[in-house]
Amino acid sequence: MAARTVVITGGAGFIGVNAAEAFVRDGWNVIIFDNLSRKGTDLNLRYLRQKFPAECEFVAGDVRDDHFSLLHAVGRAELVLHLAAQVAVTTSIVRPNEDFEINARGTFNVLEAVRESGNKPMVIYSSTNKVYGGMPDVVCVKGATRYSFRDFPHGIAEDRPLDFHSPYGCSKGAADQYVHDYGRIYGIPTVVFRQSCIYGQRQFGVEDQGWVAWFSIAALLERPITIYGDGLQIRDLLHVNDRVAAYRRAAADPLRAAGGIFNMGGGPTRTLSLVELLAFLEKRLKKKIPLSYAEPRAGDQPVFVADIRKAERELGWRPE
């Protein structure tokens, strides 16, 4: 039986490189489609090429404008894992046009390439919890080191009304809905995963995105750390291996997964605030980490914890 092929847009990024490695180990051929614009992607690509020279093919391309390359790639695939994105809320506020072109138009281009290919591969899209917006009606309780939800012990579920907040929320939210609707209108098997904070190996975190990695890197290298707000903001954290396990689970059972929208996070038992992470790092490094404080960032949620019971119920997936 011939090996199946997966195209991973943004495949040289943090989640992409981990997904590529996992799918190769599962016996897939992997096509990495990436423009290598993010710092560190060249290192990730080199890692994959050295480790899997026969199983990983690289296609240099941009989801914004390389239609022929994209069409040729997805035409050979049984699965398209669409991870290519502009990933920072702050960048979206400064450069909203670029954010729209990458996240909204880029996703539309991927979907159109899939539709025009006639191949109907499964499409898995990496969305975000930011599609739920600031949730101003949700009551948050302030504790000593963190905020918490008053009324949502399991976290926020997928039936929460969408409220795109920030250009990033709008571009990712529009893409989220396009992916879901292309499944309904064109019969393409699509899955949307709305992810919380992902962390793990080969993440090149920076101040604007990847906060667990950024705090760890900055603390180790003694770089300045700025806390935007009071630092009590809380997120549920998910290790990248668990994130990739959900992709693999969906790909293994497309009939069950297709058409689904799933929250993807650590859930209520895997949460951390900014100051709690810093306290952990100080304890491990045995030194005080100097901090400065600034005004909260636009669009920042004081609390987000994903209700992940639907993914467990319908996909048989849970974080490990």
Side-chain angles (χ1 to χ4, degrees):
M1 181 179 175
R4 293 176 294 173
T5 298
V6 54
V7 171
I8 307 178
T9 69
F14 157 51
I15 299 177
V17 67
N18 283 283
E21 185 165 4
F23 276 99
V24 167
R25 296 191 187 283
D26 286 345
W28 291 67
N29 290 323
V30 176
I31 299 174
I32 302 294
F33 188 94
D34 204 303
N35 66 1
L36 302 182
S37 60
R38 185 176 172 90
K39 189 174 182 179
T41 50
D42 57 330
L43 302 176
N44 283 337
L45 180 62
R46 186 191 312 164
Y47 168 79
L48 289 174
R49 283 175 152 173
Q50 290 174 346
K51 199 164 187 178
F52 308 110
E55 296 89 353
C56 280
E57 174 187 345
F58 174 62
V59 175
D62 193 313
V63 294
R64 288 173 288 186
D65 51 29
D66 288 347
H67 180 72
F68 178 78
S69 298
L70 195 57
L71 182 62
H72 180 64
V74 303
R76 295 181 281 157
E78 285 80 22
L79 171 65
V80 175
L81 183 54
H82 179 37
L83 308 180
Q86 190 294 111
V87 294
V89 172
T90 49
T91 300
S92 79
I93 293 171
V94 175
R95 298 196 295 274
N97 184 65
E98 177 185 285
D99 175 81
F100 172 84
E101 289 294 326
I102 296 171
N103 291 347
R105 188 181 299 280
T107 299
F108 177 79
N109 290 343
V110 170
L111 291 169
E112 277 293 274
V114 168
R115 184 178 71 86
E116 291 177 24
S117 75
N119 196 28
K120 289 194 176 179
M122 185 179 202
V123 177
I124 296 177
Y125 176 58
S126 185
S127 186
T128 172
N129 59 32
K130 291 293 188 283
V131 301
Y132 300 117
M135 304 183 298
D137 59 308
V138 175
V139 178
C140 296
V141 179
K142 185 177 182 179
T145 62
R146 57 166 56 197
Y147 293 106
S148 61
F149 289 138
R150 187 189 67 184
D151 303 318
F152 294 88
H154 299 290
I156 300 299
E158 293 85 353
D159 59 1
R160 170 78 191 175
L162 302 181
D163 180 20
F164 307 155
H165 191 172
S166 79
Y168 174 77
C170 290
S171 64
K172 293 291 286 186
D176 174 310
Q177 292 298 283
Y178 259 105
V179 171
H180 185 54
D181 198 54
Y182 262 59
R184 293 184 294 202
I185 298 299
Y186 298 111
I188 298 166
T190 64
V191 182
V192 173
F193 285 122
R194 293 172 179 163
Q195 67 187 37
S196 291
C197 294
I198 315 299
Y199 73 100
Q201 62 278 355
R202 309 202 70 80
Q203 183 178 31
F204 299 97
V206 294
E207 185 179 53
D208 290 339
Q209 195 271 335
W211 66 278
V212 173
W214 165 243
F215 280 10
S216 303
I217 291 166
L220 283 165
L221 300 181
E222 299 183 345
R223 293 181 178 177
I225 295 177
T226 301
I227 300 294
Y228 295 91
D230 55 18
L232 306 186
Q233 304 98 306
I234 194 167
R235 298 291 184 268
D236 59 327
L237 305 181
L238 185 67
H239 193 273
V240 68
N241 290 356
D242 287 320
R243 184 72 192 87
V244 170
Y247 297 147
R248 295 166 63 210
R249 185 64 62 92
D253 195 354
L255 291 178
R256 189 177 184 185
I261 295 176
F262 302 97
N263 284 342
M264 194 58 39
T269 63
R270 292 171 172 83
T271 62
L272 205 61
S273 74
L274 275 62
V275 296
E276 287 169 349
L277 174 59
L278 290 166
F280 170 80
L281 290 170
E282 287 183 338
K283 184 176 180 180
R284 289 295 295 268
L285 298 175
K286 297 182 174 59
K287 66 178 181 180
K288 187 70 176 175
I289 298 173
L291 303 173
S292 61
Y293 287 81
E295 289 297 311
R297 287 169 165 165
D300 192 23
Q301 301 151 319
V303 182
F304 191 87
V305 178
D307 184 338
I308 55 176
R309 292 177 295 170
K310 181 181 177 183
E312 181 176 349
R313 187 171 62 247
E314 297 188 15
L315 299 180
W317 171 90
R318 68 173 67 181
E320 295 183 4

